[in-house]
Amino acid sequence: MKLLVTGGAGYIGSHMVRTLGEKGHDIVVYDNLSSGHRESLLYGRLVVADLADRETLRILLQEENFDAVIHFAAFIAVEESVKDPVKYYRNNFSNALNLIEACVRHGVDKFIFSSTAAVYGMPEKMPVTEGIPLLPINPYGSSKMMTELALRDIAQVTGLRYVALRYFNVAGADPQTRIGQRYKEATHLITLALRTALGLRESLNIFGTDYATPDGTCIRDYIHVDDLIDAHLAALGYLAEGGRSQVFNCGYGKGYSVREVVDMAKRVTGIDFPVKETGRRAGDPPALIADSSRIRKDLGWQPSHDELEFIIQSAWDWEKKRLALNL
Ligand code: UDP
């Protein structure tokens, strides 16, 4: 297939490009390199451009006959979105709309969208099924929800079919350590824990110990990046076979508390790194666990790395390499 991957130089996008390249697909990556890296691309041709640039998008989609678009490019930090909502609505919604519009204009009829469990907000019942009301509690979640709604409405009246994948907590890295997270200013728990173990940070903060959870810290459903990539491949196959537009949760259906993640990070690294208990972080729901029965049933998706230890080990191998090579 001929595929356009936006955000392909980023963390998850680069894993997608790796797998698509290994399978022999023809890939164009569209990335403004605001957080992505050229060196993370193991395959494909890179177009360095912004999704706000509608003219570049128009020319690209007019000239190349893409079979599908896989849209990763977005900002991802919940706390930053609370402080700077415009930045999130602009990039995650308005720029996504530019891309969707260009797809419709130029006859690209298959679209895979990186959505998030943050669209659910603070659901009362766990695990979360796709059908519950979307009540995001931060601009990050709202901006992703708005793009989902735009896709839904546009698909109703055009030939566009889409799959929105609602990611839970994506972590881990390429098991061969070729690529991984390269954010200098990481915000995610597992990455920060491992960088603390490496001595790159003084201590790890635990954001809130007074949540209504068994140990008082937030619970999340961590999924290995390669299982998430398999979900995208399954979604691509589904759309190629004529599947109708659909939304799927991507998680394992198992939750771990922040303390449990910290304990596992200490075990995997063998380092008892310093941890501080601090106040809550703005915009954090107490628990998010996926009900993944829909994706298992409809797409036949089955995870291969459904173990917190494996996730953290692969992230640890990558973080050590990143430090050694000063990446
Ligand atoms: N967290 C934490 N310390 C950190 C980073 C994150 O305690 O340095 C907590 C955060 O409050 C949340 C969980 O870890 O409850 C997962 O956060 P992360 O940023 O990794 O992902 P999110 O769930 O926000 O997408």
Side-chain angles (χ1 to χ4, degrees):
M1 284 179 132
K2 178 142 195 186
L3 302 165
L4 179 66
V5 182
T6 73
Y11 164 50
I12 302 173
S14 64
H15 286 80
M16 185 84 242
V17 169
R18 173 210 60 194
T19 297
L20 292 172
E22 283 168 357
K23 293 191 177 295
H25 293 287
D26 185 2
I27 309 156
V28 175
V29 169
Y30 193 100
D31 201 303
N32 65 4
L33 299 180
S34 62
S35 61
H37 297 263
R38 197 181 287 276
E39 305 77 48
S40 300
L41 291 175
L42 302 180
Y43 294 90
R45 171 166 81 86
L46 174 64
V47 175
V48 182
D50 199 284
L51 289 169
D53 179 357
R54 295 166 73 192
E55 187 56 14
T56 301
L57 267 180
R58 185 185 67 73
I59 293 167
L60 184 66
L61 271 80
Q62 200 168 30
E63 282 179 355
E64 316 262 354
N65 259 327
F66 292 112
D67 294 299
V69 167
I70 311 177
H71 175 44
F72 291 98
F75 296 135
I76 56 157
V78 168
E79 194 174 31
E80 184 190 40
S81 81
V82 175
K83 293 182 177 142
D84 191 353
V86 172
K87 177 174 176 179
Y88 278 70
Y89 288 115
R90 180 93 66 212
N91 195 34
N92 295 4
F93 174 64
S94 172
N95 288 348
L97 196 58
N98 290 343
L99 177 65
I100 298 165
E101 184 186 31
C103 286
V104 170
R105 286 234 168 105
H106 301 291
V108 183
D109 63 350
K110 295 180 274 304
F111 194 98
I112 299 181
F113 174 54
S114 303
S115 190
T116 168
V119 296
Y120 294 119
M122 296 214 284
E124 276 170 19
K125 266 185 34 199
M126 270 328 128
V128 187
T129 54
E130 289 87 348
I132 66 165
L134 304 185
L135 298 165
I137 58 164
N138 51 60
Y140 168 66
S142 299
S143 65
K144 289 283 185 175
M145 179 188 75
M146 286 164 66
T147 303
E148 276 200 29
L149 296 179
L151 280 168
R152 184 196 66 188
D153 296 344
I154 293 164
Q156 289 277 334
V157 293
T158 65
L160 185 80
R161 287 173 299 117
Y162 70 93
V163 165
L165 296 172
R166 293 183 182 152
Y167 304 175
F168 283 64
N169 287 64
V170 188
D174 173 42
Q176 292 180 43
T177 64
R178 290 166 294 181
I179 46 178
Q181 275 190 29
R182 290 182 63 158
Y183 312 124
K184 292 264 180 287
E185 301 297 323
T187 61
H188 288 121
L189 176 63
I190 290 177
T191 307
L192 289 176
L194 298 177
R195 291 185 188 175
T196 312
L198 285 172
L200 299 172
R201 303 173 62 90
E202 237 166 64
S203 66
L204 177 76
N205 291 324
I206 293 186
F207 294 138
T209 54
D210 59 348
Y211 286 97
T213 59
D215 70 14
T217 66
C218 291
I219 293 175
R220 294 288 184 275
D221 185 341
Y222 294 89
I223 172 174
H224 191 278
V225 62
D226 279 0
D227 281 327
L228 185 72
I229 297 312
D230 283 347
H232 288 73
L233 285 180
L236 199 56
Y238 167 84
L239 289 176
E241 283 164 20
R244 67 184 173 90
S245 297
Q246 187 54 289
V247 174
F248 296 104
N249 282 341
C250 293
Y252 293 143
K254 255 192 296 191
Y256 292 93
S257 72
V258 175
R259 285 195 209 281
E260 285 172 326
V261 170
V262 170
D263 289 347
M264 183 61 84
K266 289 186 175 182
R267 214 174 86 197
V268 166
T269 60
I271 299 166
D272 186 14
F273 54 84
V275 174
K276 267 193 210 149
E277 296 184 359
T278 63
R280 293 182 176 197
R281 188 175 69 172
D284 273 342
L288 275 175
I289 302 168
D291 180 326
S292 54
S293 31
R294 183 186 281 178
I295 191 169
R296 290 174 196 261
K297 186 167 159 283
D298 291 7
L299 300 189
W301 174 78
Q302 272 191 336
S304 314
H305 306 300
D306 181 358
E307 272 187 30
L308 185 62
E309 185 171 358
F310 181 86
I311 295 174
I312 295 181
Q313 183 67 55
S314 72
W316 178 231
D317 293 341
W318 166 253
E319 285 299 329
K320 284 187 292 187
K321 176 170 172 180
R322 200 180 144 270
L323 179 64
L325 299 181
N326 196 23
L327 296 176

